[in-house]
Amino acid sequence: MANHQVLNLASNHPLTTLDTDKLTQFGRLNNTIEGLYQANSNNRTTLALAKKVKISADKTTYTFTLWKDSYWSNGDLITAPDFVFAWRRALAPKTKAPEADLFDGIKNAREILDGQLPAQALGVSAPSKFKLVVQLDHPMAELPQKLAYPLFGPQNQRIAEKYGKRYATKPRYQVYAGPFMVTTKGSTANHWHMVPNPHYWDRQHVYLSRINVKTYHTADAAWKAYDNGKLDEMRLLGKADLKYYEKQADYTARPYSKMLLLNYRQHGRNAQVNHVLQQKRARLAISHAIDRKALVKQVYGNTSLTAQGVVPAGLSRGLKGTADFAAAQPEQRALAYQPQVAKREWRLALKRAHTDRLTLSLSYLDGTNSAAAAKALRHQLEKHLPGLTLSLKEREQTINTLAAPVNSDLTLTTQRAQYADPLAILSLFTSNNSANIGHWSNKTYDRLIDQASNAPSFNSKRWHTLLAADGVLMKEQGVTPLIQPASTYLVNPKLNGVIYNTIGTQSNFKSAYFVK
């Protein structure tokens, strides 16, 4: 190992909060959080803050025994009540986490989310200091995968109550259970630092002495820093010069379980637009008018993949070495590029709405790839769908982008899987999920997702139920999948030991180190 073990990273956005209940993307902060489980590079889960787990015969009660020598960064013991406090707080109306839907399936979580019960009714309890009991509404085969996500980590109740409204607003008002902590010395919103947590249970395997994170407001500034050796990782946005960088020693392309999607607002203010977008025929026409291969090549470059369905490639495989779920997805013909079919379907949809022209708005997030994708989509759709005019609307990034009101007819979003199971994506499009921003609703789909959610294990029946649900969503085009983007980076070749996850949070620097 090198003597100098300082990692320098870039961030696109300033550090506005350290509160896990106010984050939709944990980014670099995932290295300060740890829960009952942790995910490894193979999308498998291993116990972390939990020493062991006992599961009831009916698979609806999990009893975790915590380690008795795990500490917060301030030296406080990490105890079972810290988990109870954290989970209840995530669901409480005052704090309600943007991704609180992930608790669905834990006893009473849905009723709490719907405002029918208080957060104290959640099926989690601490009968003793190091014993945590989690009760479920039904068996959940995917529970360990879910619990590895940072949202399910503990929070120090004593510290939260001590600081009140100031809690987690600045580094000095927060404590950490993970391998790193945000230091109070020199950290600002635009330039912050993480150092090893001196009380972390596995401190001996944390090798970096410091992680510096700086916000760069322009790509030119970040490039200059990377070229001058002040950054150890540089993300390549867009497809510019990718062919050149692919040959460099510091180039890497990382797959990730996320999907670029086109969402349809079916209950807007314009009755005629609603009449069109509520037709399955119109949504299929839009899907058939999109040349996904050209879109990938034009916007993202060769490392990204065209969608085979709504579930990303590499997220989950079946039992006994069966095919990747993405490749097995039914109704892939709904995503086939068929411009002539698209024209015919579109004309029929307009005829049923008693019009031959339609103007739709398409919104996209402020960002290089999003803007390029929106412009390329507009070109393809206006070219192949007669009478269609698309107006583009840029929307700003927010802490909870999905909670913002939908103000366009078509919306480009990127959805990612928080745990390694097809349900992580498919459950987002049930009638009552907040991620289903177009409010598409199908009773058969909801029933199939409910059946898969109730399965006691990853068996063949559950697998085929999920495939059937996927088929319903694709046949109806409740949402239209476009691209599975890959993330491309230049990374210091001397950096080793980083775990790059394809689900949940991307980069785990716990055991990272530099070689000479």
Side-chain angles (χ1 to χ4, degrees), residues 221-473:
W223 272 114
K224 186 176 180 180
Y226 185 82
D227 289 340
N228 292 334
K230 295 180 180 179
L231 266 182
D232 294 301
E233 180 183 86
M234 176 69 194
R235 186 170 182 188
L236 299 170
L237 295 171
K239 66 183 187 67
D241 300 322
L242 274 186
K243 287 185 178 180
Y244 169 77
Y245 290 112
E246 284 171 357
K247 300 175 184 178
Q248 307 301 311
D250 52 353
Y251 173 84
T252 182
R254 300 176 196 155
Y256 192 66
S257 295
K258 63 183 176 183
M259 192 69 70
L260 181 68
L261 305 170
L262 187 63
N263 302 263
Y264 305 95
R265 181 174 63 175
Q266 299 182 36
H267 304 283
R269 295 179 179 178
N270 188 310
Q272 191 174 65
V273 170
N274 294 342
H275 195 174
V276 173
L277 294 183
Q278 285 171 7
Q279 295 181 58
K280 177 178 75 172
R281 180 185 287 112
R283 301 192 298 270
L284 281 167
I286 289 173
S287 181
H288 288 317
I290 300 169
D291 184 346
R292 289 166 176 78
K293 288 184 178 179
L295 197 63
V296 166
K297 189 174 182 181
Q298 184 177 350
V299 179
Y300 288 94
N302 297 327
T303 53
S304 295
L305 304 173
T306 57
Q308 296 172 285
V310 75
V311 175
L315 176 62
S316 183
R317 299 186 71 84
L319 301 174
K320 299 179 181 178
T322 53
D324 180 84
F325 189 93
Q329 289 177 103
E331 301 296 337
Q332 294 192 26
R333 59 188 176 181
L335 307 184
Y337 175 50
Q338 297 178 301
Q340 294 308 315
V341 172
K343 283 181 183 177
R344 186 166 63 250
E345 291 170 328
W346 185 251
R347 284 195 174 109
L348 285 170
L350 292 185
K351 187 177 181 181
R352 286 196 64 180
H354 308 293
T355 185
D356 58 0
R357 295 190 174 278
L358 194 70
T359 298
L360 299 176
S361 54
L362 169 63
S363 72
Y364 60 93
L365 279 178
D366 177 19
T368 305
N369 288 337
S370 295
K375 290 174 184 176
L377 264 180
R378 179 175 62 183
H379 175 75
Q380 289 193 15
L381 294 178
E382 289 185 345
K383 177 181 178 182
H384 297 306
L385 302 180
L388 175 64
T389 301
L390 274 181
S391 62
L392 302 185
K393 298 174 67 174
E394 181 180 286
R395 65 185 194 278
E396 293 183 0
Q397 287 271 11
T398 62
I399 289 176
N400 185 7
T401 299
L402 290 177
V406 177
N407 61 356
S408 60
D409 305 311
L410 307 177
T411 307
L412 275 180
T413 60
T414 301
Q415 286 289 4
R416 55 202 172 87
Q418 292 103 334
Y419 54 97
D421 188 74
L423 198 62
I425 292 292
L426 293 172
S427 64
L428 300 177
F429 304 103
T430 54
S431 300
N432 61 0
N433 196 293
S434 59
N436 182 7
I437 61 173
H439 302 293
W440 173 78
S441 182
N442 184 285
K443 290 181 180 178
T444 301
Y445 184 81
D446 289 348
R447 177 175 53 79
L448 289 168
I449 294 300
D450 190 54
Q451 288 177 9
S453 300
N454 281 268
S457 63
F458 292 103
N459 54 31
S460 178
K461 182 180 179 181
R462 181 182 187 273
W463 185 259
H464 287 100
T465 300
L466 288 168
L467 284 172
D470 186 284
V472 172
L473 181 59

Side-chain angles (χ1 to χ4, degrees), residues 53-55 59-64 132-134 136 140 143:
V53 58
K54 182 181 179 182
I55 306 172
K59 306 289 182 70
T60 62
T61 303
Y62 284 62
T63 302
F64 294 93
L132 182 73
V133 178
V134 180
L136 308 178
M140 291 172 63
L143 185 67

Side-chain angles (χ1 to χ4, degrees), residues 101-150:
D101 281 321
L102 283 172
F103 284 88
D104 207 351
I106 296 176
K107 188 176 180 180
N108 294 332
R110 177 43 55 190
E111 289 80 0
I112 296 167
L113 288 167
D114 292 341
Q116 298 170 7
L117 287 174
Q120 285 73 18
L122 185 67
V124 57
S125 60
S128 66
K129 201 170 186 178
F130 299 104
K131 195 78 71 180
L132 182 73
V133 178
V134 180
Q135 294 176 293
L136 308 178
D137 286 325
H138 49 73
M140 291 172 63
E142 70 280 4
L143 185 67
Q145 280 80 5
K146 272 193 175 185
L147 295 185
Y149 193 62

Side-chain angles (χ1 to χ4, degrees), residues 30-31 33-49 144-150 200-201 256 417-420 497-511:
N30 77 293
N31 292 277
I33 305 165
E34 195 155 283
L36 299 167
Y37 292 92
Q38 62 184 5
N40 61 26
S41 56
N42 296 317
N43 287 348
R44 302 278 176 85
T45 55
T46 56
L47 290 171
L49 293 180
Q145 280 80 5
K146 272 193 175 185
L147 295 185
Y149 193 62
Y200 181 60
W201 66 274
Y256 192 66
Q418 292 103 334
Y419 54 97
V498 183
I499 295 177
Y500 295 113
N501 300 316
T502 60
I503 50 109
T505 53
Q506 281 185 279
S507 303
N508 186 332
F509 296 108
K510 170 184 170 179
S511 300

